[in-house]
Structure formats: C-alpha cells, structure tokens
Amino acid sequence: MRILGALQLDHAAARLGGRLIWTEVDLEVQEGEFVAILGPNGAGKSTLLKALLGVVPLAEGSVRVFGRPVRRGSDEIGYLPQRRRFDPDLRIRAVDLVRLGLDGERWGMSLPSPAKTNRVAEMVELVGAAAYQDRPIGELSGGEQQRILIAQALVSGARMLALDEPLESLDLNNQQAISELIRSICQTRGVTVLLVAHDINPILPFVDRVVYVAGGHVLSGKPQEVIRTETLTALYGTPVEVLHTSDGRIVVVGQYEPVTHHPDDH
Amino acid sequence: MSMLGLEFMRNAFMAGGCIALAAGLVGYFVVLRNQVFTADALGHVAFTGGLGGVLAGLNLLAGVFGSCIAVALAIGALGGRGRGRDIAIGTVFAWVLGVGALFLSLYTTARSAASGTLGVSVLFGSILGLQPAQVVVGSLTGIATAVVLLLIARPLLFLSVDPEVAVARGVPSRALSALFFVLVAVTVAESVQAVGALLIFGLMVTPAAVAQNLSTRPWVGMALSAGIAVAVVWLGLVVAFYIALPASFLITGLAFVLYLASHLARRMSRIGRLA
Ligand SMILES: Nc1ncnc2c1ncn2[C@@H]1O[C@H](COP(=O)(O)OP(=O)(O)OP(=O)(O)O)[C@@H](O)[C@H]1O
Ligand SMILES: [Mg+2]
C-alpha cells in the first residue's frame, strides 16, 4: 500500500472569539488511517475538524489535506457536524438530505438522475436507513437521523471522513454496527477517517491512532501510547488516571475539574 | 361581454399570474427557513415606502421597491437567526409602520379631499385597477424573481435545511441569505400591487404552507406552492368578475380554504398510515 500524507498540521493554532483554543499543533495522519479524536468538552475537537474543512481559519501555522492547503467546499471530505436535532416541523424527506450531500452545493435545480438516485439508495441501504428514508427528517428519532447523516457524509465518495460524534445518540448495538460500518469503509475503500468520540471503547479495536485534545494542546499516537496515566496527566495539567477494566475497556477518570486551562490563561 | 375581452381583466391575469409564480416559489423557502415573520414585516415597510415615495414626489412603486430592498439588505447585514433577531426586526418594523401612519396623515391633509384612497390601495391592493406600467413592472419582476430563485434553489435548499454541512461544502452562506432577502423584498413589493401590504400572507405564506402539508419532496413542494399561488389568484379573479366582491378578499379566502383542506388531508393520511 502506498503511504501518503492525508492530513498534515504544522505549528497550527486556532482562535475563536479572541481566545486561543489550541496552539502548537503538529499532526500527521496517513491515508487510510482510522483516527479517534478524544478530549474533554470544550477542548477544541470540533474546532480541529472545522479547521481542516477550512470553515475555521487558523490563527497560525498551516493545514494540508492530501498535500494541498485546505479550502472550504472541497469535495474530498465528507463531514458530519456535531448535532442538535432537526426541527420537528421540517417537512423534507430524509432521503432528500442524503441527496443534498451528493450535489447540494451546485447551482440550479435538481433534475431527475437515475445514477444519482441509485447512488443515494445504495448509501441509505448501507447505513440501514431504508425503512424510514421517505419520512420527514424532523419526525425521525435521534439515532435514525444520525444514520441518515452518516449516509449523507458518505454519499459523495469522499477520500476523508470528518465525523463529529457520529456515535452520539445511538444505542449500544447501533454504536457497534455503525463503527463497524465506518471501519469497513475505511478498510475496503482506503478512506481516511477522523472520528470525534467521548468513549473510545466502541471503536478501540479499529483505531490506528488517537488524537487527544486537552489543555490547549494536542497529542497523537497509538492508543496504548497516548491513553496512559502519565501522558494524559501531563497533557491535562491536572491528575488523570487511566484504568483498564477486566473486560478490556479503558476508563479515564479524574477530569472532574472544569476545563479552564487554556494557553492564554497564563 | 367576455372576461378576457376586457383589458383590465387581461392585465390582472397577466400581472397577477407572474407575481403569484414568484410569491409561491419564494414563499416555499420563507416557510422552510422560518422567516414568515420577516416577510410579513416587510409588508409594513412596503406600506410606508409606498406612501413615502408618493409624498416625496416619486411614484408609489419606486418607494415600495426601494424601501423593501434597502431594508432587506440591512436585515441581511444584521445576520443571525432566531429570537434576538425577531425582536430587533419587530421593534424596527412597528416604528416603520408608525412612520407610515404619519405619511398617510400628511398625504391626506396635503390633498385635503383626495382622502386616504392611496393608503387603502397600498394596504389592500388594486389588482383590477393596474396601470399599464404597473402591469409591465409586475410581470417582468415576477418572472425575473422566479428565474433567479430557481437558479439558486438547490444551494439555498441545502443551506436552509442543513446549514453547517452546506457551509463546509462551500455554499456561500452570507451572500446567499442576503440575496434571498432581496428576493423576498422584491416579491413583497410586487405583491403589494395585487393583494396589498396587509394580505401578503395569502400569496407568499399560505400556498407554501399548503404545499408543505401535501408533499415532503422539496422539488414537488416548490412546484405545488407556485401552482397553488397562481391558481388562487386566477380563480379569485374569475370569481370577482362575476360576484361583486373585492379580488384580494377572494384570493386570500381561497388560499385559506385550501390551507384548512390541506391540514385535513395531512391528518387523514397520517391516520391512514397508522391504521
Ligand atoms: N464561535 C465561537 N466563538 C467563541 N468561542 C467559541 C466559538 N465556538 C466555540 N467556541 C469555544 O471554543 C472552545 C472549543 O469548542 P469546540 O466546539 O471545538 O469543543 P469540543 O472539544 O468539540 O467540545 P464538545 O466535546 O463539547 O463538543 C469552547 O470553549 C467553545 O466555547
Ligand atoms: Mg464538539
């Protein structure tokens, strides 16, 4: 397999509302890697994804995707934003949302296209949402909406997936099923996956690399290298303990203090 | 005498149809984007702007179009969504309507006996009394609005239902929202001639609400919304020709009946699905 740089951040820093979110971020992700992005609330995980989408410009440094500087609107990245639910009154079919992921940014009207309809149907089938694809999106449950949105992120056949908490609001069985689906897309099509999660356990078996965002900095490496008591304590700047349960699950405890440690607070 | 033999009826069908086409299409997005309140408030601006235009010695249409577009651009520049913006818009528009009342009283005293018919025609429209110039302006702007809307329809749909992903995929959100506000403003200004500043709901909002009750397919919904708007205007005109009732009353009345019926239909289909 050819190893190519899929994502590269050099000395990157992001600033929102005049506040530095993270600084001095150096990060490299290879093509086809499955990357978990972890960290406490408000640490800047979503901001990291928005930076590589070109939605949040960097305050410093550079970010390259597949060797090129990022620009908003690249169709090489499929994006699933962190969600609030859709308005219950939104009277648009779920399948139309998936279709917008295919060509929604183009000007003009949508003309009937059997090829595109098939492509959309294939994705809806893949995420197991066929049963409710014709219902209005606002009427669907949180987990059903999430599956539709995963289909939307996949449908354009992007080389990279930026998924912000895709397992949120899924039950345990569905967390398992969706993570396996994402893994198989990653493996069979060589798609690079960046997945933000709060619980690493459902995806732990698939993860090639962990990116941990905390305390205004970012740390990356293999799961067993990063998710260790000493490493995380140094990153957080407060005592953190990593526990391994008897069934092989990882639990990070001790991050009870509000996360107020930011690089500009010094 | 046949209905289409009369010039004022032909004018009304022509201008009314074109205006309704635009109102139905633009209205679909007004409802989808929860901007019903903004559209209604623009009607107030149209009232004040029209009277202001006449008082300033310009014509009524220039005042209506100018004021609506200026205010739409200002709202676009304001940006944002939700409660805070609604409150700001409501406060400003109440004041604008107050200024309209002042203009009306200035106009009435200036023309002494000429009375407030101008105010009445701005508020309730005068589709059967359109001047030839108004017919041309109304028809052309109606068609132009519809064409521009169809050109931006797909990214606008994306931005309306899924703004975050749309922005990430490169939809120019600020420019598109501002352009849409301008289209709403132009449509309100057009509709003032047909149904008046107070009854704009009947053309812009009701047909769209009916369409969204009847179909959850966006492109079908848009077509339905435009079709229903044109149909109620034309039907209203036909009925007004035979029964001596105001056309704007008949148009909005028909739209209202359709709205009730569409709600019933939606209820029934839901019950049908559950059964
Ligand atoms: N538009 C904004 N203006 C100012 N500050 C912002 C803005 N958006 C986010 N922030 C702040 O930036 C920080 C990082 O936000 P981000 O959404 O990236 O966190 P996160 O790691 O994704 O958190 P969570 O786990 O809660 O989703 C937070 O402190 C947040 O309050
Ligand atoms: Mg987040």
Short mmCIF file of all heavy atoms in Angstrom, two decimals, chain B residues 1 4 18 21 37 44 55-56 80 87 95 113 115 125 127 133 152 160 180 184 214 227 236 239 273:
data_model
loop_
_atom_site.label_atom_id
_atom_site.label_comp_id
_atom_site.label_asym_id
_atom_site.label_seq_id
_atom_site.Cartn_x
_atom_site.Cartn_y
_atom_site.Cartn_z
N MET B 1 -70.42 40.52 -22.08
CA MET B 1 -69.06 40.68 -22.63
C MET B 1 -68.13 39.65 -21.98
O MET B 1 -68.20 39.40 -20.80
CB MET B 1 -68.56 42.08 -22.33
CG MET B 1 -67.25 42.33 -23.02
SD MET B 1 -66.85 44.07 -22.94
CE MET B 1 -65.60 44.17 -24.17
N LEU B 4 -62.14 37.96 -20.91
CA LEU B 4 -60.83 38.26 -21.46
C LEU B 4 -60.88 39.35 -22.53
O LEU B 4 -59.85 39.78 -23.03
CB LEU B 4 -60.17 37.00 -22.01
CG LEU B 4 -59.75 36.01 -20.92
CD1 LEU B 4 -59.12 34.76 -21.51
CD2 LEU B 4 -58.78 36.66 -19.93
N CYS B 18 -47.92 36.26 -12.90
CA CYS B 18 -46.46 36.34 -12.77
C CYS B 18 -46.05 36.60 -11.31
O CYS B 18 -45.10 36.01 -10.79
CB CYS B 18 -45.89 37.44 -13.66
SG CYS B 18 -46.11 37.12 -15.40
N LEU B 21 -46.53 33.48 -9.24
CA LEU B 21 -45.48 32.50 -9.50
C LEU B 21 -44.28 32.76 -8.60
O LEU B 21 -43.77 31.87 -7.92
CB LEU B 21 -45.08 32.58 -10.98
CG LEU B 21 -43.94 31.66 -11.42
CD1 LEU B 21 -44.43 30.23 -11.48
CD2 LEU B 21 -43.39 32.10 -12.78
N PHE B 37 -42.23 35.67 9.69
CA PHE B 37 -42.37 36.94 10.39
C PHE B 37 -41.66 38.07 9.63
O PHE B 37 -42.18 39.16 9.47
CB PHE B 37 -41.81 36.78 11.80
CG PHE B 37 -41.76 38.05 12.58
CD1 PHE B 37 -42.93 38.70 12.93
CD2 PHE B 37 -40.55 38.58 12.97
CE1 PHE B 37 -42.88 39.88 13.64
CE2 PHE B 37 -40.50 39.76 13.68
CZ PHE B 37 -41.66 40.41 14.02
N HIS B 44 -45.03 45.82 6.02
CA HIS B 44 -45.16 47.12 6.68
C HIS B 44 -44.25 48.14 6.02
O HIS B 44 -44.61 49.29 5.82
CB HIS B 44 -44.80 47.02 8.16
CG HIS B 44 -45.63 46.03 8.92
ND1 HIS B 44 -45.43 45.76 10.23
CD2 HIS B 44 -46.66 45.26 8.53
CE1 HIS B 44 -46.29 44.85 10.64
NE2 HIS B 44 -47.05 44.54 9.61
N LEU B 55 -45.29 60.85 -1.42
CA LEU B 55 -45.09 62.14 -0.75
C LEU B 55 -43.85 62.86 -1.27
O LEU B 55 -43.84 64.08 -1.43
CB LEU B 55 -44.93 61.92 0.76
CG LEU B 55 -46.19 61.96 1.61
CD1 LEU B 55 -45.82 61.77 3.06
CD2 LEU B 55 -46.95 63.26 1.40
N ALA B 56 -42.80 62.08 -1.54
CA ALA B 56 -41.55 62.68 -2.00
C ALA B 56 -41.63 63.09 -3.46
O ALA B 56 -40.67 63.57 -4.03
CB ALA B 56 -40.40 61.71 -1.77
N GLY B 80 -27.46 36.50 11.63
CA GLY B 80 -28.04 35.82 12.79
C GLY B 80 -29.39 35.19 12.50
O GLY B 80 -29.96 35.31 11.43
N ILE B 87 -36.89 39.89 17.56
CA ILE B 87 -37.24 41.02 18.42
C ILE B 87 -36.76 42.32 17.78
O ILE B 87 -37.50 43.31 17.71
CB ILE B 87 -36.64 40.83 19.83
CG1 ILE B 87 -37.34 39.63 20.50
CG2 ILE B 87 -36.78 42.09 20.66
CD1 ILE B 87 -36.65 39.14 21.75
N TRP B 95 -42.07 50.59 14.39
CA TRP B 95 -41.76 52.00 14.20
C TRP B 95 -41.99 52.40 12.74
O TRP B 95 -42.57 53.45 12.44
CB TRP B 95 -40.30 52.26 14.63
CG TRP B 95 -39.80 53.61 14.27
CD1 TRP B 95 -40.17 54.80 14.82
CD2 TRP B 95 -38.87 53.93 13.24
NE1 TRP B 95 -39.51 55.83 14.21
CE2 TRP B 95 -38.70 55.33 13.23
CE3 TRP B 95 -38.13 53.16 12.33
CZ2 TRP B 95 -37.85 55.98 12.35
CZ3 TRP B 95 -37.28 53.80 11.46
CH2 TRP B 95 -37.14 55.20 11.46
N ALA B 113 -59.34 66.82 0.26
CA ALA B 113 -60.46 65.93 -0.02
C ALA B 113 -60.04 64.61 -0.68
O ALA B 113 -60.76 63.63 -0.63
CB ALA B 113 -61.47 66.65 -0.89
N SER B 115 -58.50 62.37 0.14
CA SER B 115 -58.71 61.30 1.10
C SER B 115 -57.63 60.22 1.14
O SER B 115 -56.56 60.37 0.54
CB SER B 115 -60.07 60.64 0.89
OG SER B 115 -59.95 59.68 -0.13
N GLY B 125 -54.33 46.43 -1.98
CA GLY B 125 -54.07 46.12 -3.37
C GLY B 125 -55.19 46.59 -4.28
O GLY B 125 -56.30 46.91 -3.84
N ILE B 127 -55.75 45.07 -7.82
CA ILE B 127 -55.31 44.29 -8.97
C ILE B 127 -56.17 44.56 -10.21
O ILE B 127 -55.69 44.42 -11.34
CB ILE B 127 -55.31 42.77 -8.62
CG1 ILE B 127 -54.59 41.98 -9.71
CG2 ILE B 127 -56.71 42.26 -8.36
CD1 ILE B 127 -54.22 40.59 -9.32
N ALA B 133 -48.13 50.55 -16.94
CA ALA B 133 -46.74 50.47 -16.47
C ALA B 133 -46.62 49.48 -15.33
O ALA B 133 -45.66 48.72 -15.24
CB ALA B 133 -46.26 51.85 -16.02
N ILE B 152 -30.81 29.63 -7.80
CA ILE B 152 -30.13 29.41 -6.51
C ILE B 152 -30.85 28.37 -5.66
O ILE B 152 -30.48 28.13 -4.52
CB ILE B 152 -30.00 30.72 -5.70
CG1 ILE B 152 -31.38 31.27 -5.32
CG2 ILE B 152 -29.20 31.76 -6.45
CD1 ILE B 152 -31.31 32.38 -4.28
N SER B 160 -30.77 25.95 3.83
CA SER B 160 -31.93 26.11 4.70
C SER B 160 -32.13 24.91 5.62
O SER B 160 -32.51 25.06 6.76
CB SER B 160 -33.20 26.30 3.87
OG SER B 160 -33.03 27.36 2.96
N PHE B 180 -31.35 36.09 -0.92
CA PHE B 180 -32.71 35.60 -0.69
C PHE B 180 -33.59 36.67 -0.06
O PHE B 180 -34.74 36.86 -0.46
CB PHE B 180 -32.70 34.34 0.18
CG PHE B 180 -34.08 33.82 0.46
CD1 PHE B 180 -34.86 33.31 -0.56
CD2 PHE B 180 -34.63 33.88 1.73
CE1 PHE B 180 -36.15 32.87 -0.33
CE2 PHE B 180 -35.91 33.43 1.99
CZ PHE B 180 -36.67 32.92 0.95
N VAL B 184 -37.12 38.16 -1.38
CA VAL B 184 -38.34 38.28 -0.57
C VAL B 184 -38.87 39.71 -0.67
O VAL B 184 -40.07 39.94 -0.89
CB VAL B 184 -38.07 37.93 0.92
CG1 VAL B 184 -39.30 38.20 1.77
CG2 VAL B 184 -37.65 36.47 1.05
N LEU B 214 -48.84 19.01 1.79
CA LEU B 214 -49.20 17.99 0.81
C LEU B 214 -48.02 17.13 0.37
O LEU B 214 -48.19 15.99 -0.03
CB LEU B 214 -49.84 18.64 -0.43
CG LEU B 214 -51.18 19.34 -0.18
CD1 LEU B 214 -51.71 19.93 -1.48
CD2 LEU B 214 -52.20 18.37 0.42
N GLY B 227 -47.77 26.62 -8.15
CA GLY B 227 -49.02 26.32 -8.85
C GLY B 227 -50.24 26.77 -8.06
O GLY B 227 -51.18 27.35 -8.61
N GLY B 236 -59.54 33.56 -8.04
CA GLY B 236 -60.08 34.73 -7.35
C GLY B 236 -60.55 35.79 -8.34
O GLY B 236 -61.60 36.40 -8.17
N VAL B 239 -63.84 34.66 -10.06
CA VAL B 239 -64.99 34.81 -9.17
C VAL B 239 -65.32 36.29 -9.00
O VAL B 239 -66.49 36.69 -9.05
CB VAL B 239 -64.73 34.14 -7.81
CG1 VAL B 239 -65.89 34.36 -6.86
CG2 VAL B 239 -64.48 32.65 -8.00
N ARG B 273 -52.03 5.97 7.65
CA ARG B 273 -50.77 5.25 7.79
C ARG B 273 -50.74 4.44 9.08
O ARG B 273 -50.18 3.36 9.15
CB ARG B 273 -49.62 6.23 7.77
CG ARG B 273 -48.37 5.65 7.16
CD ARG B 273 -47.32 6.71 6.93
NE ARG B 273 -47.14 7.55 8.07
CZ ARG B 273 -46.80 8.83 7.99
NH1 ARG B 273 -46.64 9.39 6.83
NH2 ARG B 273 -46.63 9.55 9.07
#
